[in-house]
Amino acid sequence: MTITTHDLDRPDDLADAPPPELGGGGTRTSHRWATMPGNWDKLNCRALWPTDNLWGIPALPRATFEPARLVAYTDRHAAATAGPGSAVHFFLDDYRFEVVWSKPERGLSRCRTVGAALTPDFSLYRDMPLAMQLWQVYRSRWCGAWLLHHGVAVVPTVSWSTADSFDFAFAGIPPRSVVAVSTVGVWRDPVARNLFAAGYAEMLLRLEPSLVLVHGKPPTEQVRGCTPIRCYPSRWDGDR
């Protein structure tokens, strides 16, 4: 069996392209594959976006959008009634937005309704194997490229774990872009706080962001005076 794929040098054509065509070497059950099953491409290989790094993490364009308000992906009412300048955020338990990756066509609709989104915040735990952490970063950037291709304004969310993750944690984000981070849960754990401070400083050094959108309480000792931030209260701070 041979698989005919689409031109990978033209990634913009891939997102809306039909599934790869199967040909040659048919079997007795080939007639059942007139259309591809819903889970035929769990790795989302049908849309491989341009990259600027050795891992193939999709490269996003510089973001300039500053949301007036953040609404949680799971809040359907807030998404449906979001005013101009709002953006969807994914600072939630991963299982609540896994559909944005596993079924990106379905996950697209809510972000399209609002018109803008931060990229999904797939978790990077410090005890995760680095290969898994790298995959989480890839998925986040992939979803950003997918949303952008479908007309949604995108701001990259930045996540990291330990210093071992720094080489790929910031990949695919251009210098002087607006970026987003979350401080929820950081302050309760001294280890997490130190890791956040180290990663935040490294982010400022490597990306030189024009603006940092902070979901949760503002960073303190990590903030350099030359890097502006804008804070958005989390639901734990009383904002729903």
PDB file of all heavy atoms in Angstrom, residues 5-15 41 43-51 56-59 101 135 138 142 145-146:
ATOM      1  N   THR A   5       0.861  11.802   0.060  1.00  0.00           N
ATOM      2  CA  THR A   5       0.687  12.926   0.970  1.00  0.00           C
ATOM      3  C   THR A   5       0.711  14.221   0.199  1.00  0.00           C
ATOM      4  O   THR A   5       1.076  14.270  -0.973  1.00  0.00           O
ATOM      5  CB  THR A   5       1.801  12.955   2.034  1.00  0.00           C
ATOM      6  OG1 THR A   5       3.061  13.028   1.375  1.00  0.00           O
ATOM      7  CG2 THR A   5       1.761  11.700   2.882  1.00  0.00           C
ATOM      8  N   HIS A   6       0.332  15.304   0.863  1.00  0.00           N
ATOM      9  CA  HIS A   6       0.305  16.621   0.251  1.00  0.00           C
ATOM     10  C   HIS A   6       1.660  17.297   0.373  1.00  0.00           C
ATOM     11  O   HIS A   6       2.515  16.869   1.145  1.00  0.00           O
ATOM     12  CB  HIS A   6      -0.794  17.473   0.897  1.00  0.00           C
ATOM     13  CG  HIS A   6      -2.149  16.874   0.706  1.00  0.00           C
ATOM     14  ND1 HIS A   6      -2.909  17.088  -0.405  1.00  0.00           N
ATOM     15  CD2 HIS A   6      -2.857  16.021   1.504  1.00  0.00           C
ATOM     16  CE1 HIS A   6      -4.050  16.417  -0.300  1.00  0.00           C
ATOM     17  NE2 HIS A   6      -4.030  15.760   0.853  1.00  0.00           N
ATOM     18  N   ASP A   7       1.870  18.328  -0.375  1.00  0.00           N
ATOM     19  CA  ASP A   7       3.149  19.025  -0.429  1.00  0.00           C
ATOM     20  C   ASP A   7       3.470  19.651   0.916  1.00  0.00           C
ATOM     21  O   ASP A   7       2.811  20.585   1.361  1.00  0.00           O
ATOM     22  CB  ASP A   7       3.076  20.107  -1.517  1.00  0.00           C
ATOM     23  CG  ASP A   7       4.420  20.779  -1.751  1.00  0.00           C
ATOM     24  OD1 ASP A   7       5.370  20.480  -1.000  1.00  0.00           O
ATOM     25  OD2 ASP A   7       4.500  21.603  -2.683  1.00  0.00           O
ATOM     26  N   LEU A   8       4.490  19.147   1.607  1.00  0.00           N
ATOM     27  CA  LEU A   8       4.829  19.642   2.936  1.00  0.00           C
ATOM     28  C   LEU A   8       5.514  20.997   2.878  1.00  0.00           C
ATOM     29  O   LEU A   8       5.729  21.621   3.901  1.00  0.00           O
ATOM     30  CB  LEU A   8       5.723  18.632   3.659  1.00  0.00           C
ATOM     31  CG  LEU A   8       5.092  17.262   3.905  1.00  0.00           C
ATOM     32  CD1 LEU A   8       6.019  16.410   4.743  1.00  0.00           C
ATOM     33  CD2 LEU A   8       3.733  17.367   4.545  1.00  0.00           C
ATOM     34  N   ASP A   9       5.896  21.460   1.686  1.00  0.00           N
ATOM     35  CA  ASP A   9       6.468  22.793   1.568  1.00  0.00           C
ATOM     36  C   ASP A   9       5.391  23.861   1.530  1.00  0.00           C
ATOM     37  O   ASP A   9       5.678  25.048   1.490  1.00  0.00           O
ATOM     38  CB  ASP A   9       7.321  22.901   0.291  1.00  0.00           C
ATOM     39  CG  ASP A   9       8.582  22.056   0.398  1.00  0.00           C
ATOM     40  OD1 ASP A   9       9.071  21.896   1.535  1.00  0.00           O
ATOM     41  OD2 ASP A   9       9.049  21.560  -0.633  1.00  0.00           O
ATOM     42  N   ARG A  10       4.130  23.428   1.511  1.00  0.00           N
ATOM     43  CA  ARG A  10       3.019  24.382   1.492  1.00  0.00           C
ATOM     44  C   ARG A  10       2.079  24.030   2.638  1.00  0.00           C
ATOM     45  O   ARG A  10       0.982  23.530   2.435  1.00  0.00           O
ATOM     46  CB  ARG A  10       2.280  24.321   0.151  1.00  0.00           C
ATOM     47  CG  ARG A  10       3.172  24.647  -1.040  1.00  0.00           C
ATOM     48  CD  ARG A  10       2.419  24.470  -2.347  1.00  0.00           C
ATOM     49  NE  ARG A  10       1.258  25.359  -2.390  1.00  0.00           N
ATOM     50  CZ  ARG A  10       0.305  25.254  -3.336  1.00  0.00           C
ATOM     51  NH1 ARG A  10       0.380  24.324  -4.249  1.00  0.00           N
ATOM     52  NH2 ARG A  10      -0.714  26.096  -3.339  1.00  0.00           N
ATOM     53  N   PRO A  11       2.516  24.272   3.891  1.00  0.00           N
ATOM     54  CA  PRO A  11       1.737  23.839   5.055  1.00  0.00           C
ATOM     55  C   PRO A  11       0.371  24.482   5.146  1.00  0.00           C
ATOM     56  O   PRO A  11      -0.534  23.923   5.747  1.00  0.00           O
ATOM     57  CB  PRO A  11       2.625  24.235   6.245  1.00  0.00           C
ATOM     58  CG  PRO A  11       3.520  25.300   5.710  1.00  0.00           C
ATOM     59  CD  PRO A  11       3.751  24.949   4.273  1.00  0.00           C
ATOM     60  N   ASP A  12       0.186  25.669   4.557  1.00  0.00           N
ATOM     61  CA  ASP A  12      -1.115  26.305   4.645  1.00  0.00           C
ATOM     62  C   ASP A  12      -2.180  25.501   3.909  1.00  0.00           C
ATOM     63  O   ASP A  12      -3.373  25.647   4.177  1.00  0.00           O
ATOM     64  CB  ASP A  12      -1.060  27.722   4.045  1.00  0.00           C
ATOM     65  CG  ASP A  12      -0.328  28.682   4.964  1.00  0.00           C
ATOM     66  OD1 ASP A  12      -0.067  28.284   6.114  1.00  0.00           O
ATOM     67  OD2 ASP A  12      -0.020  29.799   4.527  1.00  0.00           O
ATOM     68  N   ASP A  13      -1.750  24.665   2.962  1.00  0.00           N
ATOM     69  CA  ASP A  13      -2.705  23.857   2.227  1.00  0.00           C
ATOM     70  C   ASP A  13      -3.123  22.619   3.002  1.00  0.00           C
ATOM     71  O   ASP A  13      -4.101  21.963   2.659  1.00  0.00           O
ATOM     72  CB  ASP A  13      -2.111  23.408   0.889  1.00  0.00           C
ATOM     73  CG  ASP A  13      -1.888  24.585  -0.053  1.00  0.00           C
ATOM     74  OD1 ASP A  13      -2.503  25.632   0.188  1.00  0.00           O
ATOM     75  OD2 ASP A  13      -1.102  24.438  -1.005  1.00  0.00           O
ATOM     76  N   LEU A  14      -2.378  22.294   4.051  1.00  0.00           N
ATOM     77  CA  LEU A  14      -2.591  21.009   4.704  1.00  0.00           C
ATOM     78  C   LEU A  14      -3.790  20.995   5.629  1.00  0.00           C
ATOM     79  O   LEU A  14      -4.481  19.987   5.728  1.00  0.00           O
ATOM     80  CB  LEU A  14      -1.343  20.620   5.491  1.00  0.00           C
ATOM     81  CG  LEU A  14      -0.128  20.238   4.640  1.00  0.00           C
ATOM     82  CD1 LEU A  14       1.070  19.997   5.539  1.00  0.00           C
ATOM     83  CD2 LEU A  14      -0.412  19.002   3.828  1.00  0.00           C
ATOM     84  N   ALA A  15      -4.038  22.087   6.328  1.00  0.00           N
ATOM     85  CA  ALA A  15      -5.081  22.071   7.350  1.00  0.00           C
ATOM     86  C   ALA A  15      -6.443  21.768   6.769  1.00  0.00           C
ATOM     87  O   ALA A  15      -7.247  21.067   7.375  1.00  0.00           O
ATOM     88  CB  ALA A  15      -5.119  23.410   8.077  1.00  0.00           C
ATOM     89  N   ASP A  41      -5.688  10.019  12.257  1.00  0.00           N
ATOM     90  CA  ASP A  41      -4.470  10.841  12.318  1.00  0.00           C
ATOM     91  C   ASP A  41      -4.313  11.420  13.714  1.00  0.00           C
ATOM     92  O   ASP A  41      -4.396  12.624  13.918  1.00  0.00           O
ATOM     93  CB  ASP A  41      -4.554  11.948  11.264  1.00  0.00           C
ATOM     94  CG  ASP A  41      -3.287  12.786  11.200  1.00  0.00           C
ATOM     95  OD1 ASP A  41      -2.224  12.283  11.605  1.00  0.00           O
ATOM     96  OD2 ASP A  41      -3.367  13.937  10.757  1.00  0.00           O
ATOM     97  N   LEU A  43      -1.783  11.916  15.448  1.00  0.00           N
ATOM     98  CA  LEU A  43      -0.613  12.777  15.617  1.00  0.00           C
ATOM     99  C   LEU A  43      -0.741  14.071  14.821  1.00  0.00           C
ATOM    100  O   LEU A  43       0.179  14.892  14.831  1.00  0.00           O
ATOM    101  CB  LEU A  43       0.650  12.028  15.184  1.00  0.00           C
ATOM    102  CG  LEU A  43       0.963  10.746  15.960  1.00  0.00           C
ATOM    103  CD1 LEU A  43       2.270  10.143  15.458  1.00  0.00           C
ATOM    104  CD2 LEU A  43       1.032  11.007  17.450  1.00  0.00           C
ATOM    105  N   ASN A  44      -1.853  14.262  14.135  1.00  0.00           N
ATOM    106  CA  ASN A  44      -2.107  15.473  13.345  1.00  0.00           C
ATOM    107  C   ASN A  44      -1.010  15.728  12.311  1.00  0.00           C
ATOM    108  O   ASN A  44      -0.558  16.865  12.119  1.00  0.00           O
ATOM    109  CB  ASN A  44      -2.272  16.690  14.269  1.00  0.00           C
ATOM    110  CG  ASN A  44      -3.581  16.645  15.042  1.00  0.00           C
ATOM    111  OD1 ASN A  44      -4.584  16.132  14.556  1.00  0.00           O
ATOM    112  ND2 ASN A  44      -3.574  17.152  16.249  1.00  0.00           N
ATOM    113  N   CYS A  45      -0.613  14.656  11.638  1.00  0.00           N
ATOM    114  CA  CYS A  45       0.412  14.785  10.595  1.00  0.00           C
ATOM    115  C   CYS A  45      -0.141  15.425   9.325  1.00  0.00           C
ATOM    116  O   CYS A  45       0.638  15.779   8.441  1.00  0.00           O
ATOM    117  CB  CYS A  45       0.981  13.406  10.260  1.00  0.00           C
ATOM    118  SG  CYS A  45       1.902  12.656  11.618  1.00  0.00           S
ATOM    119  N   ARG A  46      -1.449  15.572   9.230  1.00  0.00           N
ATOM    120  CA  ARG A  46      -2.030  16.174   8.034  1.00  0.00           C
ATOM    121  C   ARG A  46      -1.716  17.662   7.934  1.00  0.00           C
ATOM    122  O   ARG A  46      -1.909  18.264   6.888  1.00  0.00           O
ATOM    123  CB  ARG A  46      -3.533  15.980   8.022  1.00  0.00           C
ATOM    124  CG  ARG A  46      -4.288  16.708   9.149  1.00  0.00           C
ATOM    125  CD  ARG A  46      -5.738  16.261   9.179  1.00  0.00           C
ATOM    126  NE  ARG A  46      -6.531  16.889  10.206  1.00  0.00           N
ATOM    127  CZ  ARG A  46      -6.521  16.542  11.478  1.00  0.00           C
ATOM    128  NH1 ARG A  46      -5.679  15.603  11.899  1.00  0.00           N
ATOM    129  NH2 ARG A  46      -7.302  17.130  12.357  1.00  0.00           N
ATOM    130  N   ALA A  47      -1.262  18.246   9.014  1.00  0.00           N
ATOM    131  CA  ALA A  47      -0.938  19.675   9.009  1.00  0.00           C
ATOM    132  C   ALA A  47       0.398  19.857   9.709  1.00  0.00           C
ATOM    133  O   ALA A  47       0.464  19.946  10.928  1.00  0.00           O
ATOM    134  CB  ALA A  47      -2.036  20.483   9.700  1.00  0.00           C
ATOM    135  N   LEU A  48       1.452  19.878   8.912  1.00  0.00           N
ATOM    136  CA  LEU A  48       2.792  20.098   9.446  1.00  0.00           C
ATOM    137  C   LEU A  48       3.201  21.521   9.114  1.00  0.00           C
ATOM    138  O   LEU A  48       3.341  21.879   7.951  1.00  0.00           O
ATOM    139  CB  LEU A  48       3.774  19.089   8.847  1.00  0.00           C
ATOM    140  CG  LEU A  48       3.433  17.618   9.102  1.00  0.00           C
ATOM    141  CD1 LEU A  48       4.448  16.711   8.431  1.00  0.00           C
ATOM    142  CD2 LEU A  48       3.357  17.326  10.598  1.00  0.00           C
ATOM    143  N   TRP A  49       3.379  22.322  10.145  1.00  0.00           N
ATOM    144  CA  TRP A  49       3.573  23.753   9.957  1.00  0.00           C
ATOM    145  C   TRP A  49       5.058  24.107   9.832  1.00  0.00           C
ATOM    146  O   TRP A  49       5.914  23.360  10.287  1.00  0.00           O
ATOM    147  CB  TRP A  49       2.951  24.506  11.133  1.00  0.00           C
ATOM    148  CG  TRP A  49       1.549  24.101  11.417  1.00  0.00           C
ATOM    149  CD1 TRP A  49       1.109  23.299  12.430  1.00  0.00           C
ATOM    150  CD2 TRP A  49       0.388  24.457  10.662  1.00  0.00           C
ATOM    151  NE1 TRP A  49      -0.252  23.146  12.359  1.00  0.00           N
ATOM    152  CE2 TRP A  49      -0.727  23.837  11.282  1.00  0.00           C
ATOM    153  CE3 TRP A  49       0.177  25.239   9.527  1.00  0.00           C
ATOM    154  CZ2 TRP A  49      -2.023  23.978  10.808  1.00  0.00           C
ATOM    155  CZ3 TRP A  49      -1.121  25.380   9.049  1.00  0.00           C
ATOM    156  CH2 TRP A  49      -2.200  24.757   9.683  1.00  0.00           C
ATOM    157  N   PRO A  50       5.352  25.268   9.263  1.00  0.00           N
ATOM    158  CA  PRO A  50       6.753  25.710   9.163  1.00  0.00           C
ATOM    159  C   PRO A  50       7.401  25.779  10.543  1.00  0.00           C
ATOM    160  O   PRO A  50       6.748  26.076  11.542  1.00  0.00           O
ATOM    161  CB  PRO A  50       6.639  27.102   8.535  1.00  0.00           C
ATOM    162  CG  PRO A  50       5.334  27.098   7.809  1.00  0.00           C
ATOM    163  CD  PRO A  50       4.418  26.220   8.614  1.00  0.00           C
ATOM    164  N   THR A  51       8.692  25.501  10.574  1.00  0.00           N
ATOM    165  CA  THR A  51       9.412  25.483  11.844  1.00  0.00           C
ATOM    166  C   THR A  51      10.743  26.201  11.688  1.00  0.00           C
ATOM    167  O   THR A  51      11.261  26.350  10.577  1.00  0.00           O
ATOM    168  CB  THR A  51       9.646  24.036  12.316  1.00  0.00           C
ATOM    169  OG1 THR A  51      10.274  24.043  13.604  1.00  0.00           O
ATOM    170  CG2 THR A  51      10.505  23.265  11.330  1.00  0.00           C
ATOM    171  N   GLY A  56      11.285  20.615  15.063  1.00  0.00           N
ATOM    172  CA  GLY A  56      10.102  20.707  14.221  1.00  0.00           C
ATOM    173  C   GLY A  56       8.915  21.342  14.925  1.00  0.00           C
ATOM    174  O   GLY A  56       7.781  21.261  14.437  1.00  0.00           O
ATOM    175  N   ILE A  57       9.152  21.974  16.068  1.00  0.00           N
ATOM    176  CA  ILE A  57       8.071  22.678  16.767  1.00  0.00           C
ATOM    177  C   ILE A  57       7.600  23.834  15.877  1.00  0.00           C
ATOM    178  O   ILE A  57       8.424  24.630  15.410  1.00  0.00           O
ATOM    179  CB  ILE A  57       8.564  23.212  18.120  1.00  0.00           C
ATOM    180  CG1 ILE A  57       8.901  22.039  19.057  1.00  0.00           C
ATOM    181  CG2 ILE A  57       7.538  24.130  18.772  1.00  0.00           C
ATOM    182  CD1 ILE A  57       9.597  22.452  20.340  1.00  0.00           C
ATOM    183  N   PRO A  58       6.301  23.927  15.607  1.00  0.00           N
ATOM    184  CA  PRO A  58       5.816  24.989  14.719  1.00  0.00           C
ATOM    185  C   PRO A  58       6.238  26.383  15.183  1.00  0.00           C
ATOM    186  O   PRO A  58       6.218  26.682  16.379  1.00  0.00           O
ATOM    187  CB  PRO A  58       4.297  24.823  14.763  1.00  0.00           C
ATOM    188  CG  PRO A  58       4.099  23.374  15.064  1.00  0.00           C
ATOM    189  CD  PRO A  58       5.216  23.017  16.010  1.00  0.00           C
ATOM    190  N   ALA A  59       6.618  27.213  14.226  1.00  0.00           N
ATOM    191  CA  ALA A  59       7.043  28.587  14.517  1.00  0.00           C
ATOM    192  C   ALA A  59       5.854  29.519  14.346  1.00  0.00           C
ATOM    193  O   ALA A  59       5.266  29.605  13.262  1.00  0.00           O
ATOM    194  CB  ALA A  59       8.174  28.991  13.577  1.00  0.00           C
ATOM    195  N   TRP A 101      -6.584  19.344  20.756  1.00  0.00           N
ATOM    196  CA  TRP A 101      -5.548  18.594  20.038  1.00  0.00           C
ATOM    197  C   TRP A 101      -6.108  17.338  19.387  1.00  0.00           C
ATOM    198  O   TRP A 101      -5.837  17.060  18.221  1.00  0.00           O
ATOM    199  CB  TRP A 101      -4.414  18.215  20.982  1.00  0.00           C
ATOM    200  CG  TRP A 101      -3.509  17.147  20.424  1.00  0.00           C
ATOM    201  CD1 TRP A 101      -3.540  15.810  20.696  1.00  0.00           C
ATOM    202  CD2 TRP A 101      -2.459  17.323  19.454  1.00  0.00           C
ATOM    203  NE1 TRP A 101      -2.586  15.145  19.978  1.00  0.00           N
ATOM    204  CE2 TRP A 101      -1.904  16.054  19.206  1.00  0.00           C
ATOM    205  CE3 TRP A 101      -1.940  18.435  18.789  1.00  0.00           C
ATOM    206  CZ2 TRP A 101      -0.848  15.857  18.313  1.00  0.00           C
ATOM    207  CZ3 TRP A 101      -0.890  18.235  17.899  1.00  0.00           C
ATOM    208  CH2 TRP A 101      -0.359  16.969  17.670  1.00  0.00           C
ATOM    209  N   TRP A 135       7.055  17.017  23.643  1.00  0.00           N
ATOM    210  CA  TRP A 135       5.801  16.751  22.925  1.00  0.00           C
ATOM    211  C   TRP A 135       4.703  17.703  23.368  1.00  0.00           C
ATOM    212  O   TRP A 135       3.916  18.177  22.545  1.00  0.00           O
ATOM    213  CB  TRP A 135       5.389  15.305  23.156  1.00  0.00           C
ATOM    214  CG  TRP A 135       4.131  14.863  22.472  1.00  0.00           C
ATOM    215  CD1 TRP A 135       3.019  14.343  23.065  1.00  0.00           C
ATOM    216  CD2 TRP A 135       3.857  14.865  21.069  1.00  0.00           C
ATOM    217  NE1 TRP A 135       2.075  14.029  22.127  1.00  0.00           N
ATOM    218  CE2 TRP A 135       2.565  14.333  20.890  1.00  0.00           C
ATOM    219  CE3 TRP A 135       4.577  15.270  19.951  1.00  0.00           C
ATOM    220  CZ2 TRP A 135       1.972  14.203  19.634  1.00  0.00           C
ATOM    221  CZ3 TRP A 135       3.988  15.137  18.692  1.00  0.00           C
ATOM    222  CH2 TRP A 135       2.704  14.612  18.543  1.00  0.00           C
ATOM    223  N   TYR A 138       5.356  20.942  21.629  1.00  0.00           N
ATOM    224  CA  TYR A 138       4.986  20.793  20.215  1.00  0.00           C
ATOM    225  C   TYR A 138       3.478  20.926  20.048  1.00  0.00           C
ATOM    226  O   TYR A 138       2.989  21.634  19.158  1.00  0.00           O
ATOM    227  CB  TYR A 138       5.454  19.444  19.676  1.00  0.00           C
ATOM    228  CG  TYR A 138       5.027  19.203  18.241  1.00  0.00           C
ATOM    229  CD1 TYR A 138       5.850  19.581  17.181  1.00  0.00           C
ATOM    230  CD2 TYR A 138       3.789  18.629  17.947  1.00  0.00           C
ATOM    231  CE1 TYR A 138       5.447  19.398  15.869  1.00  0.00           C
ATOM    232  CE2 TYR A 138       3.384  18.441  16.645  1.00  0.00           C
ATOM    233  CZ  TYR A 138       4.210  18.821  15.602  1.00  0.00           C
ATOM    234  OH  TYR A 138       3.792  18.657  14.302  1.00  0.00           O
ATOM    235  N   TRP A 142       1.523  23.639  17.861  1.00  0.00           N
ATOM    236  CA  TRP A 142       0.726  23.124  16.740  1.00  0.00           C
ATOM    237  C   TRP A 142      -0.692  23.683  16.805  1.00  0.00           C
ATOM    238  O   TRP A 142      -1.236  24.131  15.786  1.00  0.00           O
ATOM    239  CB  TRP A 142       0.700  21.593  16.752  1.00  0.00           C
ATOM    240  CG  TRP A 142       0.048  21.010  15.527  1.00  0.00           C
ATOM    241  CD1 TRP A 142       0.675  20.568  14.399  1.00  0.00           C
ATOM    242  CD2 TRP A 142      -1.362  20.827  15.306  1.00  0.00           C
ATOM    243  NE1 TRP A 142      -0.255  20.128  13.483  1.00  0.00           N
ATOM    244  CE2 TRP A 142      -1.519  20.281  14.015  1.00  0.00           C
ATOM    245  CE3 TRP A 142      -2.500  21.084  16.059  1.00  0.00           C
ATOM    246  CZ2 TRP A 142      -2.772  19.972  13.469  1.00  0.00           C
ATOM    247  CZ3 TRP A 142      -3.751  20.797  15.523  1.00  0.00           C
ATOM    248  CH2 TRP A 142      -3.878  20.247  14.246  1.00  0.00           C
ATOM    249  N   ALA A 145      -0.758  27.254  15.670  1.00  0.00           N
ATOM    250  CA  ALA A 145      -0.688  27.393  14.222  1.00  0.00           C
ATOM    251  C   ALA A 145      -2.016  27.014  13.573  1.00  0.00           C
ATOM    252  O   ALA A 145      -2.464  27.652  12.610  1.00  0.00           O
ATOM    253  CB  ALA A 145       0.444  26.526  13.674  1.00  0.00           C
ATOM    254  N   TRP A 146      -2.650  25.989  14.092  1.00  0.00           N
ATOM    255  CA  TRP A 146      -3.961  25.548  13.573  1.00  0.00           C
ATOM    256  C   TRP A 146      -5.009  26.638  13.760  1.00  0.00           C
ATOM    257  O   TRP A 146      -5.760  26.961  12.825  1.00  0.00           O
ATOM    258  CB  TRP A 146      -4.372  24.273  14.302  1.00  0.00           C
ATOM    259  CG  TRP A 146      -5.763  23.793  14.028  1.00  0.00           C
ATOM    260  CD1 TRP A 146      -6.881  24.029  14.779  1.00  0.00           C
ATOM    261  CD2 TRP A 146      -6.192  22.977  12.938  1.00  0.00           C
ATOM    262  NE1 TRP A 146      -7.972  23.415  14.236  1.00  0.00           N
ATOM    263  CE2 TRP A 146      -7.576  22.756  13.096  1.00  0.00           C
ATOM    264  CE3 TRP A 146      -5.543  22.402  11.852  1.00  0.00           C
ATOM    265  CZ2 TRP A 146      -8.320  21.989  12.200  1.00  0.00           C
ATOM    266  CZ3 TRP A 146      -6.291  21.635  10.954  1.00  0.00           C
ATOM    267  CH2 TRP A 146      -7.652  21.437  11.130  1.00  0.00           C
TER     268      TRP A 146
END
